[in-house]
């Protein structure tokens, strides 16, 4: 049961201030704990269920009485009628479907387990006597749309598995572990969202980065972390600003994993790090004296790998990495006539990936520099690629550029106006050719 214990340590209070802090992986800042408190305040009208014959009188009597009791009284009734409590809870979960009610029942169960770990046996013993698969009664809720229900169910299953003496059947265990694995695959995105939230405390910041470091040991998760450029970008920003050695240590260790774990993705990871301007930061860190040999070794490794990669980069690789990062700035490549003459057509690669990103930046970004550079690049693209106008129209980019002509920032307005002029000039040139041909 050691494997279960490690999961439950996350779900409970071992070394964590908030018992539900693990939920920050998918519900940042202990949101699950906050929602649980709200659920407790929303009492269920059990009488309406028994009157409509949705639940039987026996289950109604059990749950209605238990719901009105204090902690001590609940403890006594669980000692005397634990079997009936388990039966009623499982029966209600099977018969009722309203999210609000399911939430309430799950919180009741979680509370009674948290108050006394040995109570996990109440459900297991009932299951054995009644020949009921207790696990199946909960596992079905992992597919609900209500994320509170999903996460609360996951914690209850972990507690029943860790604190009880009954093992999950192989099929149920595989199902639960698959659910956990799929949840971890998207966890990095939620952690990043929490990291960029305002007023995040240092300790929580460190714990969230620690989660990313743990996730970075799984090559399959790392692939998604690299694909989501926000992960590297946020880590780079924190590394640049942080003066805490333990934060530096964990970020550098995570970056090393991103460069090592998925062999086929290491070049992409290095490219993202270079684009996030990590080389100057690493140069400073590499020149420092570290008491911790692990930091020194990791800094040297990451610095060396990025230097190797930067030697192999083409100008277009650098441009593509900058666009994918979403952090456009007036680097020399944007103003290079030679670059656009040689590479404008390459913006059509991968089903117009880079043009779609530029269009999205024009639509979503609030940064004047990003908007100005994006508008400029679309103008250069259409100037050097004969059919570029039609591509931009089909992608909706032309409309976005024209909207920028009324932007508050003068530089954005200027670049948008120039881009629209290039679109029109190209149109005139095309019209001239058609007239000559006729």
């Amino acid at each position: 049961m050691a494997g279960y214990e490690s999961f439950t340590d996350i779900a409970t209070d071992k070394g964590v201030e908030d018992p539900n802090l693990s939920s920050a992986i998918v519900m940042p800042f202990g949101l699950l704990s906050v929602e649980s408190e709200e659920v407790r305040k929303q009492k269920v009208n059990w009488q309406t269920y028994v009157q409509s014959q949705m639940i039987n009188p026996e289950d109604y009597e059990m749950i209605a009485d238990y719901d009105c009791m204090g902690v001590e009284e609940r403890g006594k009734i669980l000692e005397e009628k634990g079997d009936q409590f388990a039966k009623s809870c499982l029966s209600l979960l099977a018969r009722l479907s309203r999210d609000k009610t399911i939430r309430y029942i799950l919180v009741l169960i979680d509370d009674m387990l948290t108050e006394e770990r040995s109570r996990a046996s109440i459900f297991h013993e009932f299951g054995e006597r009644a020949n009921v698969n207790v696990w199946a009664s909960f596992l079905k809720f992992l597919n609900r749309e209500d994320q509170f229900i999903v996460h609360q169910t996951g914690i209850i299953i972990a507690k029943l598995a860790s604190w009880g003496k009954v093992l999950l059947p192989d099929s149920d265990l595989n199902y639960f572990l698959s659910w956990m694995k799929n949840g971890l695959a998207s966890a990095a995105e939620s952690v990043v969202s929490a990291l960029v939230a305002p007023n995040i405390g240092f300790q929580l910041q460190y714990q969230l980065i620690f989660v990313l470091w743990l996730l970075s040991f799984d090559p399959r998760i790392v692939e998604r972390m690299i694909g989501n450029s926000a992960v590297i970008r946020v880590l780079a920003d924190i590394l640049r600003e942080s003066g805490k050695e333990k934060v530096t240590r964990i970020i550098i260790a995570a970056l090393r994993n991103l460069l090592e774990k998925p062999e086929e993705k290491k070049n992409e990871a290095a490219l993202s790090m270079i684009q996030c301007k990590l080389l100057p930061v690493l140069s400073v860190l590499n020149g420092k004296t570290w008491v911790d040999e692990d930091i020194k070794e990791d800094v040297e490794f990451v610095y060396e790998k990025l230097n190797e990669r930067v030697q192999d980069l083409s100008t277009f690789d650098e441009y593509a990495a900058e666009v994918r990062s979403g952090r456009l700035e007036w680097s020399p490549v944007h103003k290079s006539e030679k670059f656009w003459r040689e590479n404008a057509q390459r913006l059509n690669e991968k089903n117009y990936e880079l043009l779609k990103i530029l269009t999205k930046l024009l639509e979503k970004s609030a940064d004047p520099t990003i908007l100005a550079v994006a508008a400029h690049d679309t103008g250069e693209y259409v100037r050097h690629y004969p059919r570029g106008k039609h591509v931009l129209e089909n992608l909706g980019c032309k409309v976005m550029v024209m909207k920028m002509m009324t932007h508050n920032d003068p530089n954005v307005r200027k670049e948008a106006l120039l881009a629209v002029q290039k679109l029109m000039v190209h149109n005139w040139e095309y019209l001239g050719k058609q007239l000559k041909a006729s």
Side-chain angles (χ1 to χ4, degrees):
M1 300 298 289
Y4 295 147
E5 289 172 3
S6 62
F7 182 81
T8 271
D9 289 349
I10 295 176
T12 55
D13 58 356
K14 291 187 179 180
V16 181
E17 293 177 6
D18 184 341
N20 287 309
L21 186 58
S22 67
S23 302
I25 295 176
V26 283
M27 301 180 76
F29 302 106
L31 180 57
L32 189 69
S33 179
V34 174
E35 286 199 36
S36 295
E37 191 57 41
E38 290 301 313
V39 169
R40 292 184 188 98
K41 296 175 184 177
Q42 298 169 6
K43 296 293 184 179
V44 175
N45 187 347
W46 301 110
Q47 192 169 6
T48 60
Y49 285 116
V50 73
Q51 287 174 346
S52 59
Q53 298 183 345
M54 295 180 70
I55 62 176
N56 62 48
E58 189 179 31
D59 292 336
Y60 164 72
E61 185 179 344
M62 179 74 239
I63 197 68
D65 288 348
Y66 184 86
D67 201 13
C68 296
M69 295 176 177
V71 176
E72 290 185 11
E73 290 178 297
R74 287 181 176 183
K76 290 179 182 178
I77 201 171
L78 287 172
E79 289 178 7
E80 298 169 3
K81 300 181 179 180
D83 204 59
Q84 178 59 44
F85 176 82
K87 172 185 173 297
S88 295
C89 285
L90 298 181
S91 176
L92 294 173
L93 290 174
R95 290 170 174 268
L96 305 179
S97 60
R98 191 180 179 190
D99 283 351
K100 178 182 176 182
T101 307
I102 298 299
R103 281 171 162 233
Y104 194 83
I105 297 168
L106 291 175
V107 169
L108 280 182
I109 295 172
D110 185 55
D111 286 346
M112 63 86 73
L113 290 172
T114 303
E115 287 164 9
E116 180 55 60
R117 294 187 176 195
S118 63
R119 290 175 183 169
S121 63
I122 292 175
F123 285 93
H124 294 312
E125 289 171 5
F126 165 74
E128 288 180 0
R129 280 194 291 270
N131 195 25
V132 171
N133 186 340
V134 174
W135 307 110
S137 300
F138 290 103
L139 287 169
K140 66 180 182 180
F141 291 110
L142 296 178
N143 291 321
R144 294 285 281 250
E145 290 187 9
D146 187 307
Q147 291 303 295
F148 177 87
I149 291 176
V150 172
H151 300 141
Q152 187 68 74
T153 300
I155 289 176
I156 289 172
I157 293 172
K159 290 178 178 178
L160 289 174
S162 303
W163 299 341
K165 297 179 180 179
V166 178
L167 297 176
L168 282 99
D170 288 345
S171 59
D172 290 340
L173 177 60
N174 288 335
Y175 183 86
F176 184 56
L177 293 178
S178 294
W179 171 78
M180 286 179 59
K181 183 189 74 174
N182 292 335
L184 287 173
S186 60
E189 298 169 12
S190 298
V191 172
V192 169
S193 298
L195 279 170
V196 298
N199 303 320
I200 179 173
F202 163 73
Q203 186 58 30
L204 181 55
Q205 180 191 65
Y206 174 77
Q207 289 171 329
L208 290 169
I209 298 170
F210 185 78
V211 170
L212 287 178
W213 173 67
L214 291 175
L215 293 173
S216 71
F217 282 92
D218 188 318
R220 294 164 298 181
I221 296 176
V222 167
E223 284 191 22
R224 296 187 61 163
M225 291 172 71
I226 294 172
N228 176 6
S229 59
V231 174
I232 292 175
R233 186 168 69 240
V234 169
L235 288 179
D237 286 346
I238 296 173
L239 182 64
R240 191 176 290 110
E241 300 296 330
S242 177
K244 301 284 187 179
E245 183 171 307
K246 72 178 197 173
V247 172
T248 299
R249 179 195 301 114
I250 204 72
I251 291 177
I252 294 295
L255 293 176
R256 177 169 185 166
N257 281 350
L258 295 182
L259 289 171
E260 282 188 313
K261 295 305 174 187
E263 185 66 25
E264 64 280 4
K265 287 277 188 177
K266 64 181 182 181
N267 285 340
E268 187 179 335
L271 196 57
S272 294
M273 293 179 199
I274 291 166
Q275 187 54 50
C276 289
K277 306 294 189 289
L278 269 176
L279 270 172
V281 179
L282 290 166
S283 177
V284 172
L285 295 177
N286 199 41
K288 292 182 66 174
T289 302
W290 300 100
V291 176
D292 189 331
E293 284 296 318
D294 288 340
I295 302 182
K296 182 176 183 295
E297 182 184 336
D298 287 346
V299 168
E300 289 175 352
F301 177 88
V302 177
Y303 186 52
E304 179 183 335
K305 291 299 179 185
L306 296 194
N307 272 312
E308 289 175 4
R309 182 71 179 105
V310 80
Q311 302 302 321
D312 300 330
L313 281 180
S314 69
T315 308
F316 184 76
D317 287 334
E318 291 187 52
Y319 174 78
E322 181 180 342
V323 173
R324 290 189 186 106
S325 76
R327 294 187 167 188
L328 302 182
E329 56 186 48
W330 288 114
S331 52
V333 68
H334 298 281
K335 297 287 189 178
S336 169
E337 180 76 19
K338 180 174 181 289
F339 170 80
W340 288 108
R341 187 170 60 249
E342 294 176 354
N343 295 290
Q345 191 165 341
R346 295 196 64 185
L347 269 67
N348 300 334
E349 293 176 0
K350 298 184 179 179
N351 194 26
Y352 307 106
E353 177 198 4
L354 298 181
L355 289 172
K356 288 177 180 176
I357 295 173
L358 289 173
T359 303
K360 188 155 189 173
L361 290 173
L362 285 168
E363 181 184 2
K364 301 289 187 183
S365 180
D367 188 314
T369 299
I370 291 175
L371 293 173
V373 176
H376 169 273
D377 287 3
T378 57
E380 289 300 282
Y381 164 75
V382 79
R383 186 162 75 93
H384 290 87
Y385 178 61
R387 292 186 291 277
K389 175 178 179 291
H390 302 294
V391 175
L392 294 184
E393 284 179 348
N394 291 335
L395 294 176
C397 187
K398 179 182 174 182
V399 175
M400 291 297 109
V401 174
M402 295 183 75
K403 282 184 178 179
M404 293 301 109
M405 293 173 66
T406 59
H407 195 275
N408 293 333
D409 187 89
N411 290 323
V412 176
R413 291 199 302 270
K414 171 188 169 186
E415 294 300 335
L417 178 60
L418 290 172
V420 171
Q421 286 176 343
K422 290 167 188 174
L423 280 164
M424 298 303 293
V425 167
H426 177 260
N427 218 15
W428 295 335
E429 290 174 352
Y430 177 76
L431 183 60
K433 289 177 183 178
Q434 291 296 98
L435 289 172
K436 285 180 181 179
S438 61

